[in-house]
Amino acid sequence: MAELFLDFCGCCDEEVILDAGCGTGALTAAILRRTNSARISGIDFSAPYVEHARQTIPDTRAQFSVGDICALPQDGSSFDRVLSLLVLHFVPEPDKAIAELRRVARPGATVGAAVWDSGGLVAYRMFFDTAGALFPNGNEQRARNFTWPMTRPGELAKAWQACGLADVRDTMLTIRMEFASFDDYWMPYAGKDGPGAQYMATLNSDQKEHLRNVVRIAYLSGEPDGPRSYAATAWAVRGTVPV
């Protein structure tokens, strides 16, 4: 998704770029591959993600720090390009975050973001729709996970226009999520990070096994275990800070 997002929002040499909600650094890494002299500041609320980004992206053009995109530590008008990939739908108060993205962008700068489309995540829907059908608390968790802000058509564009950005454009970006097998698909849910793993932690061992077995049936869809490819769609927006 980082590559498609950059095709839409752009990045150039000599720019100072903010990767707001950088996670483990996927977008920063993509910018580094595309440029020779751009400098990127990545910031994320999660200290483990930031540490992972520091360890895996040693390029001195990239710097990473822990922080809240609803209260960015940078001065106003600091960046030539401000980008936020797959973050705003997880922010409790996205309007504050968007105002901050605009604040730290210089006049003429591009401000861009992308969020998952709540109905366009086939792999995640398969898990949470099954959990919702099996358990009452699964239905509650599904409702929380798929009523994210900014994930409906046009919502990002309206938010960009409301904060005073000009030349606002929005689009839909779609990638494929590839899995080698059901065990590969299930691995994140057996871990500790992410909404699926967090939900699994609320179940007892019998419930976990039942959910896994039923989701496996959905994954197999009557065919032998093996590779599967699921579409994943995001909404993206970009706008320009008026000069």
Side-chain angles (χ1 to χ4, degrees), residues 73-129:
Q74 289 88 354
D75 293 335
S77 302
S78 296
F79 295 96
D80 302 303
R81 199 173 300 266
V82 176
L83 304 176
S84 182
L85 178 63
L86 304 178
V87 175
L88 290 177
H89 47 303
F90 295 124
V91 177
E93 298 179 285
D95 289 341
K96 284 187 177 181
I98 294 166
E100 282 291 273
L101 301 184
R102 187 194 187 288
R103 180 184 68 80
V104 300
R106 293 170 179 157
T110 294
V111 180
V115 299
W116 288 122
D117 169 44
S118 60
L121 283 169
V122 176
Y124 293 165
R125 292 302 304 231
M126 188 161 63
F127 174 85
F128 281 109
D129 286 349

Coordinates of all heavy atoms in Angstrom, one line a residue, residues 73-129:
P73 N 5.1 17.3 18.2 CA 6.1 18.2 18.9 C 6.8 19.2 17.9 O 7.4 20.1 18.4 CB 7.2 17.2 19.4 CG 7.1 16.0 18.5 CD 5.6 15.9 18.1
Q74 N 6.6 18.9 16.6 CA 7.3 19.8 15.6 C 6.6 21.2 15.6 O 5.4 21.4 15.8 CB 7.3 19.2 14.2 CG 8.2 18.0 14.1 CD 7.5 16.7 14.5 OE1 6.4 16.7 15.0 NE2 8.2 15.6 14.3
D75 N 7.4 22.2 15.2 CA 6.9 23.5 15.0 C 6.0 23.6 13.8 O 6.1 22.7 12.9 CB 8.1 24.5 14.8 CG 8.9 24.7 16.1 OD1 8.4 24.5 17.2 OD2 10.1 25.0 15.9
G76 N 5.2 24.6 13.7 CA 4.4 24.8 12.6 C 5.2 25.1 11.3 O 6.3 25.6 11.4
S77 N 4.6 24.7 10.2 CA 5.2 25.0 8.9 C 6.7 24.4 8.8 O 7.6 25.0 8.3 CB 5.3 26.5 8.6 OG 4.0 27.0 8.6
S78 N 6.8 23.1 9.2 CA 8.1 22.5 9.3 C 8.4 21.6 8.1 O 9.6 21.2 7.9 CB 8.3 21.7 10.6 OG 8.2 22.5 11.7
F79 N 7.4 21.1 7.4 CA 7.6 20.0 6.4 C 7.1 20.4 5.0 O 6.1 21.1 4.9 CB 6.8 18.8 6.9 CG 7.4 18.2 8.2 CD1 6.8 18.5 9.4 CD2 8.5 17.4 8.1 CE1 7.4 18.0 10.6 CE2 9.0 16.9 9.3 CZ 8.5 17.2 10.5
D80 N 7.8 19.9 4.0 CA 7.4 20.1 2.6 C 6.3 19.1 2.2 O 5.6 19.3 1.2 CB 8.6 19.8 1.7 CG 9.7 20.8 2.0 OD1 9.5 22.0 2.0 OD2 10.8 20.3 2.3
R81 N 6.2 18.0 2.9 CA 5.2 17.0 2.6 C 4.8 16.3 3.9 O 5.7 15.8 4.7 CB 5.7 16.0 1.6 CG 4.6 15.2 0.9 CD 5.2 14.4 -0.3 NE 5.8 15.2 -1.3 CZ 5.2 15.7 -2.4 NH1 3.9 15.4 -2.6 NH2 5.9 16.5 -3.2
V82 N 3.5 16.1 4.2 CA 3.1 15.5 5.5 C 2.2 14.3 5.1 O 1.1 14.5 4.4 CB 2.3 16.5 6.4 CG1 1.8 15.7 7.6 CG2 3.2 17.6 6.8
L83 N 2.6 13.1 5.4 CA 1.9 11.9 5.0 C 1.5 11.0 6.2 O 2.3 10.9 7.1 CB 2.7 11.1 4.0 CG 3.2 11.9 2.8 CD1 4.2 11.0 2.0 CD2 2.1 12.3 1.9
S84 N 0.4 10.4 6.1 CA -0.1 9.5 7.2 C -0.8 8.3 6.5 O -1.8 8.4 5.9 CB -1.1 10.2 8.1 OG -1.5 9.4 9.2
L85 N -0.1 7.1 6.7 CA -0.6 5.9 6.0 C -1.2 4.9 7.0 O -0.6 4.4 7.9 CB 0.6 5.3 5.3 CG 0.3 3.9 4.5 CD1 -0.8 4.1 3.4 CD2 1.5 3.3 4.0
L86 N -2.5 4.7 6.8 CA -3.3 3.6 7.5 C -3.2 3.9 9.1 O -3.0 3.0 9.8 CB -2.8 2.3 7.2 CG -2.8 1.9 5.7 CD1 -2.2 0.5 5.5 CD2 -4.2 2.0 5.1
V87 N -3.5 5.1 9.5 CA -3.4 5.5 10.9 C -4.6 6.2 11.4 O -5.1 5.9 12.5 CB -2.2 6.4 11.1 CG1 -2.1 6.9 12.5 CG2 -0.9 5.7 10.7
L88 N -5.2 7.1 10.6 CA -6.2 8.0 11.2 C -7.4 7.3 11.7 O -8.1 7.7 12.6 CB -6.6 9.0 10.1 CG -5.6 10.1 9.8 CD1 -6.1 11.0 8.7 CD2 -5.2 10.9 11.0
H89 N -7.8 6.1 11.1 CA -8.9 5.4 11.6 C -8.7 4.8 12.9 O -9.7 4.3 13.6 CB -9.4 4.3 10.6 CG -8.2 3.4 10.0 ND1 -7.1 4.0 9.4 CD2 -8.1 2.1 10.0 CE1 -6.3 3.0 9.1 NE2 -6.9 1.8 9.4
F90 N -7.5 4.7 13.4 CA -7.2 4.2 14.7 C -7.1 5.3 15.8 O -7.0 5.0 17.0 CB -5.9 3.4 14.8 CG -5.9 2.2 13.9 CD1 -4.9 2.0 12.9 CD2 -6.8 1.2 14.1 CE1 -4.9 0.8 12.1 CE2 -6.8 0.0 13.3 CZ -5.9 -0.1 12.3
V91 N -7.2 6.5 15.3 CA -7.0 7.7 16.2 C -8.4 8.1 16.8 O -9.3 8.3 16.1 CB -6.4 8.9 15.5 CG1 -6.3 10.1 16.4 CG2 -5.0 8.5 15.0
P92 N -8.5 8.1 18.2 CA -9.8 8.4 18.8 C -10.4 9.8 18.3 O -11.6 9.9 18.2 CB -9.5 8.4 20.3 CG -8.3 7.5 20.4 CD -7.5 7.8 19.2
E93 N -9.5 10.8 18.1 CA -10.0 12.1 17.7 C -9.3 12.5 16.4 O -8.4 13.3 16.4 CB -9.7 13.1 18.8 CG -10.5 12.8 20.1 CD -10.1 13.8 21.2 OE1 -9.0 13.8 21.8 OE2 -11.0 14.7 21.4
P94 N -9.7 11.9 15.3 CA -9.0 12.2 14.0 C -9.0 13.6 13.6 O -8.0 14.1 12.9 CB -9.7 11.3 13.0 CG -11.1 11.1 13.6 CD -10.9 11.0 15.1
D95 N -10.0 14.4 14.0 CA -10.0 15.8 13.6 C -8.8 16.6 14.2 O -8.2 17.4 13.5 CB -11.3 16.5 14.0 CG -12.5 16.0 13.2 OD1 -12.3 15.5 12.1 OD2 -13.6 16.2 13.6
K96 N -8.4 16.2 15.4 CA -7.3 16.8 16.0 C -6.0 16.4 15.3 O -5.1 17.3 15.1 CB -7.2 16.4 17.5 CG -8.1 17.1 18.5 CD -7.8 16.7 19.9 CE -8.8 17.4 20.9 NZ -8.4 17.0 22.3
A97 N -5.9 15.2 14.9 CA -4.7 14.7 14.2 C -4.6 15.4 12.8 O -3.5 15.9 12.4 CB -4.8 13.2 14.0
I98 N -5.7 15.6 12.1 CA -5.7 16.2 10.8 C -5.3 17.7 11.0 O -4.5 18.2 10.2 CB -7.1 16.1 10.1 CG1 -7.4 14.6 9.8 CG2 -7.2 16.9 8.9 CD1 -8.8 14.3 9.4
A99 N -5.8 18.4 12.0 CA -5.4 19.7 12.2 C -3.9 19.8 12.5 O -3.3 20.8 12.0 CB -6.2 20.3 13.4
E100 N -3.4 18.9 13.2 CA -1.9 18.9 13.4 C -1.1 18.6 12.2 O -0.1 19.2 11.9 CB -1.6 17.8 14.5 CG -1.9 18.2 15.9 CD -0.9 19.3 16.4 OE1 0.2 19.0 16.8 OE2 -1.3 20.5 16.2
L101 N -1.6 17.7 11.3 CA -0.9 17.5 10.0 C -0.9 18.7 9.2 O 0.2 19.0 8.6 CB -1.6 16.4 9.3 CG -1.8 15.0 9.9 CD1 -2.4 14.0 9.0 CD2 -0.4 14.5 10.4
R102 N -2.0 19.5 9.2 CA -2.0 20.7 8.4 C -1.1 21.8 9.1 O -0.4 22.5 8.4 CB -3.4 21.3 8.4 CG -3.5 22.5 7.4 CD -4.8 23.2 7.6 NE -5.0 24.3 6.7 CZ -4.4 25.4 6.6 NH1 -3.5 25.7 7.5 NH2 -4.7 26.4 5.7
R103 N -1.1 21.8 10.4 CA -0.3 22.8 11.1 C 1.2 22.8 10.8 O 1.9 23.8 10.7 CB -0.5 22.7 12.7 CG 0.3 23.7 13.5 CD 0.1 23.5 15.0 NE 0.7 22.2 15.4 CZ 2.0 22.1 15.7 NH1 2.9 23.1 15.5 NH2 2.5 20.9 16.1
V104 N 1.7 21.5 10.8 CA 3.2 21.4 10.6 C 3.6 21.4 9.1 O 4.8 21.3 8.8 CB 3.7 20.1 11.3 CG1 3.4 20.1 12.8 CG2 3.1 18.8 10.6
A105 N 2.6 21.5 8.2 CA 3.0 21.6 6.8 C 3.2 23.0 6.3 O 2.4 23.9 6.7 CB 1.8 21.0 6.0
R106 N 4.2 23.2 5.5 CA 4.5 24.6 5.0 C 3.5 25.0 4.0 O 2.8 24.1 3.3 CB 5.9 24.6 4.4 CG 7.0 24.4 5.5 CD 8.3 24.1 4.8 NE 9.4 24.0 5.8 CZ 10.5 23.3 5.6 NH1 10.8 22.8 4.4 NH2 11.4 23.3 6.6
P107 N 3.3 26.3 3.7 CA 2.5 26.7 2.6 C 3.0 26.1 1.3 O 4.2 26.1 1.0 CB 2.7 28.2 2.6 CG 3.0 28.6 4.0 CD 3.8 27.4 4.5
G108 N 2.0 25.6 0.5 CA 2.3 24.9 -0.7 C 2.6 23.4 -0.5 O 2.8 22.7 -1.5
A109 N 2.7 22.9 0.7 CA 3.0 21.5 1.0 C 1.8 20.6 0.7 O 0.6 21.0 0.8 CB 3.5 21.3 2.5
T110 N 2.1 19.4 0.4 CA 1.1 18.3 0.2 C 0.8 17.7 1.5 O 1.8 17.3 2.2 CB 1.5 17.3 -0.8 OG1 1.6 17.9 -2.1 CG2 0.5 16.2 -0.9
V111 N -0.4 17.5 1.9 CA -0.8 16.8 3.1 C -1.7 15.6 2.6 O -2.7 15.8 1.9 CB -1.6 17.6 4.1 CG1 -2.0 16.8 5.3 CG2 -0.8 18.8 4.5
G112 N -1.3 14.4 2.9 CA -2.0 13.2 2.4 C -2.2 12.1 3.4 O -1.4 12.0 4.4
A113 N -3.2 11.3 3.3 CA -3.5 10.3 4.2 C -4.2 9.1 3.5 O -4.9 9.4 2.5 CB -4.3 10.8 5.4
A114 N -4.2 8.0 4.1 CA -5.0 6.8 3.6 C -5.5 6.0 4.8 O -4.8 6.0 5.8 CB -4.2 5.9 2.7
V115 N -6.7 5.5 4.7 CA -7.3 4.7 5.8 C -7.9 3.5 5.1 O -8.3 3.5 4.0 CB -8.3 5.4 6.6 CG1 -7.7 6.7 7.3 CG2 -9.5 5.9 5.7
W116 N -8.0 2.4 5.9 CA -8.6 1.2 5.3 C -10.1 1.5 5.2 O -10.7 2.1 6.0 CB -8.5 0.0 6.3 CG -7.1 -0.6 6.4 CD1 -6.3 -0.8 7.5 CD2 -6.4 -1.2 5.3 NE1 -5.2 -1.4 7.1 CE2 -5.2 -1.7 5.8 CE3 -6.7 -1.4 3.9 CZ2 -4.2 -2.3 5.0 CZ3 -5.7 -2.0 3.1 CH2 -4.5 -2.5 3.7
D117 N -10.7 1.0 4.1 CA -12.1 1.0 3.9 C -12.7 -0.2 4.8 O -12.3 -1.3 4.7 CB -12.4 0.7 2.4 CG -13.9 0.4 2.2 OD1 -14.7 1.1 2.8 OD2 -14.2 -0.5 1.5
S118 N -13.6 0.2 5.7 CA -14.1 -0.8 6.6 C -14.7 -2.0 6.0 O -14.7 -3.1 6.6 CB -15.1 -0.1 7.6 OG -16.2 0.4 6.9
G119 N -15.3 -1.9 4.8 CA -15.9 -3.0 4.1 C -15.0 -3.7 3.2 O -15.4 -4.7 2.6
G120 N -13.8 -3.2 3.0 CA -12.9 -3.7 1.9 C -11.8 -4.5 2.4 O -10.8 -4.7 1.7
L121 N -11.8 -5.0 3.6 CA -10.8 -5.8 4.2 C -11.2 -7.2 4.3 O -11.7 -7.7 5.3 CB -10.4 -5.3 5.6 CG -9.5 -4.0 5.6 CD1 -9.4 -3.5 7.0 CD2 -8.1 -4.3 5.0
V122 N -11.2 -8.0 3.2 CA -11.7 -9.3 3.1 C -11.2 -10.2 4.2 O -11.9 -10.9 4.9 CB -11.6 -9.9 1.7 CG1 -12.1 -11.3 1.7 CG2 -12.2 -9.0 0.7
A123 N -9.8 -10.2 4.3 CA -9.2 -11.1 5.3 C -9.6 -10.9 6.7 O -9.9 -11.8 7.5 CB -7.7 -11.0 5.2
Y124 N -9.7 -9.6 7.1 CA -10.1 -9.3 8.5 C -11.6 -9.5 8.7 O -12.1 -10.0 9.7 CB -9.8 -7.8 8.8 CG -8.4 -7.5 8.8 CD1 -7.9 -6.2 8.8 CD2 -7.4 -8.5 8.9 CE1 -6.6 -5.9 8.8 CE2 -6.0 -8.2 9.0 CZ -5.6 -6.9 8.9 OH -4.3 -6.6 9.0
R125 N -12.4 -9.2 7.6 CA -13.9 -9.5 7.8 C -14.1 -10.9 8.0 O -15.1 -11.3 8.7 CB -14.6 -8.9 6.5 CG -14.6 -7.4 6.3 CD -15.3 -6.7 7.4 NE -16.6 -7.1 7.8 CZ -17.6 -6.2 7.9 NH1 -17.5 -4.9 7.6 NH2 -18.8 -6.7 8.3
M126 N -13.4 -11.8 7.3 CA -13.6 -13.2 7.5 C -13.5 -13.7 8.9 O -14.3 -14.4 9.5 CB -12.6 -14.0 6.6 CG -12.9 -15.5 6.5 SD -12.1 -16.2 5.1 CE -10.3 -15.9 5.4
F127 N -12.5 -13.1 9.6 CA -12.3 -13.4 11.0 C -13.4 -12.8 11.9 O -14.0 -13.5 12.7 CB -10.9 -12.9 11.5 CG -10.7 -13.0 13.0 CD1 -10.2 -14.2 13.5 CD2 -10.9 -12.0 13.8 CE1 -10.0 -14.4 14.8 CE2 -10.7 -12.1 15.2 CZ -10.2 -13.3 15.7
F128 N -13.6 -11.5 11.7 CA -14.5 -10.9 12.7 C -16.0 -11.2 12.4 O -16.8 -11.2 13.3 CB -14.3 -9.3 12.6 CG -13.1 -8.9 13.5 CD1 -11.9 -8.5 12.9 CD2 -13.1 -9.0 14.9 CE1 -10.8 -8.1 13.7 CE2 -12.1 -8.7 15.6 CZ -10.9 -8.2 15.0
D129 N -16.3 -11.4 11.1 CA -17.7 -11.8 10.8 C -18.0 -13.2 11.4 O -19.1 -13.5 11.9 CB -17.9 -11.9 9.3 CG -18.1 -10.5 8.7 OD1 -18.2 -9.5 9.5 OD2 -18.1 -10.4 7.5

